[in-house]
Amino acid sequence: MKQGNITIHNVAKIAGVSISTVSRVVNDLDRVAPDTRNRVEKAIRKLGFRPNSRAQALSRKRTDTIGMIVPDFFGQYFAMLMEGAHEEAQTKGVHIMVLKAKTPDEKLDAINRLCTEGRADGVILMLSELYPHVLEVAGEIAAPLVVLDKDIRGYRYDNILVDNQLAAYEAAKHFLEVHDVDGLFFVGGSESNVDSIARARGVFEAIETLKPKAEGRQFFGQGYSYEEGYRIAQAEVLDRIQTGRKYGVIAANDDVACGVMDALLDHNIDVPAQAGVIGFDDSYIASHRRLKVTTMRVPTKEIGKVAVRMILDRLSGKVSEPVKILLKAQLIVRQSCGCGRTNQTRKEA
């Protein structure tokens, strides 16, 4: 029998079950006994049967598409997030449709376009700002929703978070305990960004716990770019660095960290001897500068993969209650903090 001529009827005959039972197995539904499922899967392998993905989607009234809403396409963080989601979707036989939406209205419009118009079976929503009304309106859709970044206590959605407060605490702890700095500065990110808020909080928690007499300051900006890091360092940090004292700068991401480093170096501040710098994300730039950047590695690609799995688990009925997953960052020690060693993993946060 030619592979192209093999149908669901052939599988049902070999397995000794009904066509509807084969359909339930193929569509990964739960209403099949384990022994029966094994017989059907064995028959599928034996015959080399390949389900028609379009027919599957139609039979389940599904598009086999997962929507992803992100605030930007630019930057390695978003690229890795989308890559992780795409890789996981490919292995599961579904597609990813990515929309860019920054403002609350843009996010709501994107959700409506994806779900209300039937373009996607579920949505992965990156919600990095304090927009509670977006969640309230999003609750009106019937499709599964996974929210990234923002802790959504009180809302019944699936949620994936990175423990940013703990990650920044570990970065600050490294400066305070290993390098015995006199002051810590948190630099970059929007004042309304949930990641920036949590990371700044972690820095000050470390000071209060480990070295209460150390100076602590935070300087928020308008974004996460190299230019913004340079600007903030030049406008705020330089004036606060005193001769004879040692400082640590924890930047909102690696681009900001590089901007801070260059601003300090351009004004004759010795990095890292007088002011060490730690970034976030472990992006490409962190390991490819002349002075390699110590950074908190965020499992960005894994976030995308886990989000796709959460959507598919809810569509298949494997889960009923909201699921919250908290991922950890990892301190990657290089040179910019003052350790003088490259590409070494120190600890997990």
Side-chain angles (χ1 to χ4, degrees):
M1 185 182 298
K2 291 183 179 180
Q3 190 176 52
N5 295 328
I6 297 169
T7 68
I8 195 170
H9 299 271
N10 304 124
V11 176
K13 184 176 181 180
I14 292 291
V17 298
S18 67
I19 293 171
S20 62
T21 298
V22 176
S23 178
R24 286 198 294 273
V25 172
V26 167
N27 291 310
D28 198 25
L29 300 177
D30 293 333
R31 303 186 305 276
V32 182
D35 290 344
T36 304
R37 182 180 292 274
N38 288 336
R39 286 208 318 274
V40 173
E41 290 175 345
K42 186 177 179 180
I44 289 172
R45 289 193 298 271
K46 180 178 179 180
L47 294 172
F49 173 65
R50 293 181 180 177
N52 184 302
S53 59
R54 180 174 173 80
Q56 280 183 280
L58 289 172
S59 68
R60 289 172 287 157
K61 296 182 179 179
R62 297 239 306 257
T63 65
D64 279 343
T65 298
I66 295 173
M68 186 175 220
I69 302 171
V70 294
D72 211 332
F73 295 149
F74 177 76
Q76 187 172 339
Y77 181 90
F78 299 113
M80 294 297 289
L81 181 69
M82 290 184 282
E83 184 177 343
H86 175 71
E87 286 182 3
E88 186 66 21
Q90 273 196 318
T91 65
K92 298 296 191 293
V94 298
H95 309 284
I96 298 292
M97 180 186 295
V98 184
L99 298 182
K100 175 181 172 180
K102 287 189 176 183
T103 69
D105 287 343
E106 288 174 349
K107 292 180 190 297
L108 291 173
D109 179 62
I111 292 170
N112 285 328
R113 278 190 286 152
L114 288 169
C115 295
T116 307
E117 297 176 13
R119 299 184 186 184
D121 301 317
V123 175
I124 300 166
L125 172 64
M126 188 171 185
L127 196 62
S128 300
E129 305 290 332
L130 302 173
Y131 299 146
H133 65 289
V134 172
L135 292 172
E136 293 167 6
V137 176
E140 299 174 4
I141 68 170
L145 179 68
V146 176
V147 179
L148 311 182
D149 260 19
K150 181 177 172 59
D151 190 344
I152 52 170
R153 298 173 194 173
Y155 293 93
R156 293 181 61 80
Y157 309 122
D158 293 325
N159 198 190
I160 305 175
L161 302 168
V162 173
D163 197 335
N164 281 296
Q165 183 168 336
L166 179 58
Y169 179 95
E170 290 294 339
K173 181 181 178 182
H174 181 77
F175 272 135
L176 293 168
E177 293 189 344
V178 177
H179 300 288
D180 193 27
V181 299
D182 301 298
L184 283 173
F185 304 140
F186 176 79
V187 175
S190 165
E191 198 166 2
S192 64
N193 182 279
V194 294
D195 291 345
S196 295
I197 294 168
R199 290 169 185 175
R201 191 181 298 130
V203 171
F204 283 91
E205 181 189 359
I207 293 173
E208 292 171 5
T209 304
L210 304 172
K211 196 173 181 179
K213 292 184 179 180
E215 179 184 2
R217 294 180 182 272
Q218 60 188 31
F219 305 107
F220 294 110
Q222 300 302 314
Y224 292 85
S225 66
Y226 170 94
E227 292 77 14
E228 192 68 357
Y230 194 101
R231 183 192 68 78
I232 295 172
Q234 194 171 38
E236 304 286 355
V237 176
L238 284 167
D239 290 342
R240 291 169 173 83
I241 293 180
Q242 299 177 26
T243 303
R245 292 171 64 84
K246 190 172 183 179
Y247 299 88
V249 179
I250 297 171
N253 72 358
D254 294 331
D255 288 337
V256 172
C258 291
V260 169
M261 288 165 57
D262 286 349
L264 296 179
L265 290 168
D266 286 349
H267 289 80
N268 300 315
I269 301 297
D270 190 332
V271 179
Q274 189 175 0
V277 179
I278 294 179
F280 260 85
D281 292 344
D282 193 24
S283 57
Y284 179 86
I285 194 173
S287 59
H288 287 79
R289 281 179 59 101
R290 190 169 198 175
L291 180 65
K292 293 176 171 49
V293 182
T294 297
T295 186
M296 298 302 302
R297 176 181 291 163
V298 176
T300 314
K301 201 170 179 180
E302 183 64 15
I303 294 171
K305 291 184 176 185
V306 171
V308 169
R309 289 199 291 268
M310 292 175 85
I311 292 285
L312 295 178
D313 283 349
R314 192 157 295 283
L315 287 169
S316 68
K318 291 180 180 178
V319 291
S320 55
E321 291 300 307
V323 176
K324 177 177 289 187
I325 295 177
L326 187 64
L327 299 175
K328 295 181 179 181
Q330 186 179 38
L331 178 62
I332 306 299
V333 175
R334 296 192 176 101
Q335 297 168 313
S336 67
C337 63
C339 284
R341 292 168 292 186
T342 61
N343 300 324
Q344 296 182 48
T345 300
R346 288 290 292 240
K347 64 182 72 177
E348 291 188 358

